[in-house]
């Protein structure tokens, strides 16, 4: 029996009846029930600067017919709220087609990708505060030039149930945590920062037990030290070696969004008519995989009840597939891929990435560096922007180095990479054998909705890309 109706004047059986009656003349739809809670703790300069706790409970009710969607949501689960939502959906669907093409319900999976743990409840608040203070002490003792330390925890637990029209119910319990450390360092009047974090669908203890947090602190310190030694970046067209792991954010933004089903069905993506065609170097294979255990972007089922999958998007340079939710998959006459996602019950689902990455090639990073006479080695990235209609992007590097005569040189400050996704894919001439996923910190925005995601790649060599810098 569902916990969502324990304190309601409507039973689960009655709710299932409302869903079936509402969606009787629709192609698809669902009642999405969510109970979630989240917390954050931020320590700044040895003191707890901010703590917060939020909880939400509610439903999103959706009806789908052809390419038309009607959607209602409420933070009250009651007989009246469900019946009111039902009436609204029915009245909106009455103007649609009378021809119903029912979609079959998602196949069930017994594979759970994360444990049913509540990270907020499993570690007492006092212990989290004490550990944050311990982190502050540790970082300050590592380097006398450190002037500011900020450390934070974020925890979330989300319970969802999805009721389909024939009383099929899909359930998931989703933990999520993130830990981040930022430092500001000053030397000879110059100030620089470094930041590093980790996260995933686990308990806090999986990341912070046995002093694992020290690795995160050490990396934030190292980045700040590197930035203190940086010099102004050059500008112009040049070769760029992108490091493994987090630099896959470029792949996510500049290419990944263009491979989501809705943009391609509507023909607003630069890739919409290129399935089966070569769009990248033959060494490039890109997948979206929501089935990797405990990863930040993974889901046992998506927000429509479809099991997530390993979806090959680009194989040996050939565009193979798009990422699909149920509605866009039906309209494009393909199978859903488990990419129907929503930020919360207040939103309808849409095609979204899970963990998107490029798989290994055959080259080493050393081979790439040695092949570059003059260029950039980009290790980590901050913010970026992309235009989905043409794939044009701008990304800023938080850690980068010059390459001179096949050797890594001085660290650089103010590096930005400018290009477009379809073009950059054709200019990847070497793909490394050192693929890494990001440490578990990605969050993706689309149409006002934010969801956790993962990115990754091996080292790659891009033969030509525009580098924006501060010197010529």
């Amino acid at each position: 029996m569902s916990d969502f109706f324990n304190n309601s004047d409507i039973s689960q059986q009655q709710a299932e009846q409302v869903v079936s009656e509402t969606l009787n003349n629709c192609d698809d739809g669902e009642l999405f029930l969510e109970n979630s809670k989240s917390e954050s703790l931020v320590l700044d300069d040895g003191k707890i600067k901010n703590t917060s706790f939020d909880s939400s409970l509610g439903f999103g009710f959706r009806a789908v017919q052809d390419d038309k969607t009607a959607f209602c949501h409420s933070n009250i689960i009651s007989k009246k709220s469900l019946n009111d939502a039902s009436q609204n959906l029915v009245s909106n669907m009455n103007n649609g087609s009378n021809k119903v093409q029912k979609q079959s319900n998602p196949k069930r999976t017994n594979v759970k990708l994360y444990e049913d743990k509540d990270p907020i409840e499993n570690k007492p608040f006092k212990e989290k505060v004490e550990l944050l203070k311990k982190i502050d002490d540790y970082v300050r003792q590592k380097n006398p030039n450190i002037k500011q330390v900020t450390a934070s925890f974020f925890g979330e637990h989300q319970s969802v149930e999805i009721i389909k029209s024939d009383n099929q119910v899909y359930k998931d319990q989703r933990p999520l945590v993130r830990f981040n450390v930022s430092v500001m360092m000053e030397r000879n009047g110059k100030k620089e920062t470094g930041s590093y974090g980790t996260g995933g669908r686990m308990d806090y203890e999986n990341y912070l037990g046995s002093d694992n947090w020290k690795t995160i602190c050490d990396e934030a310190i190292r980045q700040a030290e590197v930035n203190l030694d940086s010099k102004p970046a050059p500008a112009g067209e040049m070769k760029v070696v992108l490091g493994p792991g987090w630099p896959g954010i470029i792949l996510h933004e500049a290419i990944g969004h263009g491979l989501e089903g809705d943009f391609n069905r509507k023909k607003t993506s630069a890739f919409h008519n290129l399935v089966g065609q070569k769009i990248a170097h033959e060494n490039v294979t890109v997948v979206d995989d929501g089935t990797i255990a405990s990863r930040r972007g993974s889901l046992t089922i998506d927000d429509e009840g479809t099991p997530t999958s390993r979806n090959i998007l680009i194989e040996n340079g050939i565009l193979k597939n798009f990422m699909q939710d149920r509605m866009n998959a039906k309209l494009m006459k393909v199978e859903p891929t488990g990419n129907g996602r929503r930020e919360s019950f207040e939103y309808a689902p849409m095609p979204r990435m899970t963990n998107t990455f490029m798989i290994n090639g055959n080259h080493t990073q050393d081979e790439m560096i040695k092949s570059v006479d003059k260029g950039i080695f980009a290790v980590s990235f901050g913010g970026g922007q992309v235009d989905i209609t043409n794939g044009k992007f701008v990304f800023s590097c938080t850690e980068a180095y010059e390459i001179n005569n096949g050797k890594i040189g001085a660290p650089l400050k103010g590096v930005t990479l400018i290009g477009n996704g379809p073009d950059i894919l054709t200019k990847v001439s070497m793909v490394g054998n050192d693929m890494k996923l990001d440490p578990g910190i990605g969050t993706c925005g689309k149409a006002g909705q934010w969801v956790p995601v993962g990115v990754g790649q091996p080292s790659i060599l891009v033969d030509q890309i525009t580098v924006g810098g501060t010197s010529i």
Side-chain angles (χ1 to χ4, degrees), residues 227-288:
N227 288 331
L228 278 175
D229 294 327
S230 63
K231 67 178 187 179
E237 298 281 338
M238 62 188 74
K239 291 185 176 183
V240 174
V241 176
L242 299 177
W246 182 239
I249 189 65
I250 284 189
L251 186 75
H252 171 101
E253 292 289 357
I255 300 162
H257 280 298
L259 301 182
E260 292 169 336
D262 49 353
F263 294 128
N264 289 282
R265 178 178 66 82
K266 298 172 184 176
K267 299 182 179 181
T268 56
S269 167
F271 298 102
H272 76 272
N273 60 346
L274 299 179
V275 173
Q277 298 186 34
K278 185 175 181 180
I279 64 169
H281 191 278
E282 62 185 12
N283 292 333
V284 173
T285 296
V286 178
V287 302
D288 182 84

Side-chain angles (χ1 to χ4, degrees), residues 19 32 118 177 221 248 286 319 364 395-396 398 403 405 417 446:
V19 173
F32 180 87
D118 184 341
V177 299
I221 295 169
V286 178
L319 178 59
T364 67
F395 275 92
S396 60
T398 56
I403 302 176
N405 300 317
L417 302 184
K446 176 182 176 180

Side-chain angles (χ1 to χ4, degrees), residues 1-222:
M1 185 62 64
S2 171
D3 293 335
F4 287 95
F5 303 99
N6 286 346
N7 299 313
S8 175
D9 62 353
I10 186 172
S11 68
Q12 179 171 348
Q13 185 177 9
Q14 291 171 324
E16 291 173 357
Q17 181 71 21
V18 172
V19 173
S20 292
E21 291 175 355
T22 304
L23 302 182
N24 183 52
N25 292 318
C26 298
D27 298 342
D28 197 19
E30 72 284 312
L31 178 67
F32 180 87
L33 299 154
E34 178 190 6
N35 187 2
S36 67
K37 55 185 175 181
S38 63
E39 69 170 2
S40 66
L41 297 84
V42 180
L43 179 139
D44 190 25
D45 278 346
K47 298 179 181 179
I48 297 298
K49 182 179 180 181
N50 180 60
T51 63
S52 66
F53 177 85
D54 295 298
S55 64
S56 63
L57 172 69
F59 70 82
F61 203 173
R62 182 180 67 140
V64 179
Q65 195 169 45
D66 295 324
D67 61 349
K68 183 178 180 181
T69 296
F71 179 74
C72 295
H73 68 87
S74 175
N75 60 0
I76 300 174
I77 300 175
S78 68
K79 185 179 296 185
K80 182 179 186 305
S81 61
L82 275 174
N83 285 330
D84 286 348
S86 172
Q87 291 175 14
N88 281 326
L89 297 187
V90 170
S91 64
N92 275 281
M93 288 293 105
N94 280 344
N95 294 324
S97 169
N98 292 321
K99 186 178 180 181
V100 177
Q101 298 178 342
K102 284 282 187 184
Q103 278 187 274
S104 59
N105 282 326
K107 295 179 181 179
R108 294 186 177 276
T109 176
N110 293 320
V111 178
K112 288 190 64 63
L113 302 177
Y114 28 81
E115 297 182 81
D116 292 345
K117 287 188 173 182
D118 184 341
I120 298 175
E121 299 295 333
N122 285 356
K123 194 171 186 65
F125 180 83
K126 183 179 180 181
E127 288 187 24
K128 298 167 192 172
V129 172
E130 289 174 350
L131 184 51
L132 287 174
K133 292 182 177 179
K134 189 175 180 180
I135 289 166
D136 183 84
D137 291 339
Y138 173 83
V139 172
R140 292 181 184 279
Q141 291 171 8
K142 293 283 288 188
N143 191 309
N145 292 321
I146 291 174
K147 303 301 180 182
Q148 185 174 4
V149 180
T150 303
S152 62
F153 290 144
F154 172 83
E156 178 181 305
H157 186 261
Q158 181 191 41
S159 300
V160 302
E161 290 189 13
I162 303 164
I163 302 177
K164 305 295 287 187
S165 60
D166 57 355
N167 301 336
Q168 292 294 309
V169 181
Y170 303 80
K171 300 181 180 182
D172 201 12
Q173 303 284 327
R174 302 168 177 172
L176 188 67
V177 299
R178 178 169 173 176
F179 165 53
N180 195 80
V181 176
S182 298
V183 302
M184 190 273 284
M185 197 176 293
E186 183 176 7
R187 187 202 303 155
N188 300 325
K190 183 180 181 181
K191 297 179 180 179
E192 292 292 347
T193 60
S195 180
Y196 196 66
T198 186
R201 295 199 178 277
M202 295 182 180
D203 194 338
Y204 284 120
E205 207 58 49
N206 292 85
Y207 292 103
L208 307 180
S210 305
D211 291 341
N212 291 338
W213 51 270
K214 291 182 179 179
T215 303
I216 310 302
C217 297
D218 293 344
E219 177 60 19
I221 295 169
R222 186 196 67 81

Side-chain angles (χ1 to χ4, degrees), residues 398-456:
T398 56
E399 183 179 357
Y401 302 84
E402 64 182 357
I403 302 176
N404 289 314
N405 300 317
K407 295 181 179 180
I408 297 175
L412 299 172
K413 180 74 173 177
V415 175
T416 58
L417 302 184
I418 305 166
N420 74 77
D423 183 56
I424 197 174
L425 284 176
T426 65
K427 294 178 179 177
V428 175
S429 60
M430 289 187 186
V431 178
N433 58 7
D434 56 351
M435 200 284 284
K436 286 173 34 180
L437 295 173
D438 76 281
I441 59 176
T443 301
C444 173
K446 176 182 176 180
Q449 295 192 49
W450 295 87
V451 296
V453 295
V455 301

Side-chain angles (χ1 to χ4, degrees), residues 343 347 350 352 445-450:
E343 179 178 327
Y347 299 89
M350 65 178 78
R352 304 293 299 272
K446 176 182 176 180
Q449 295 192 49
W450 295 87

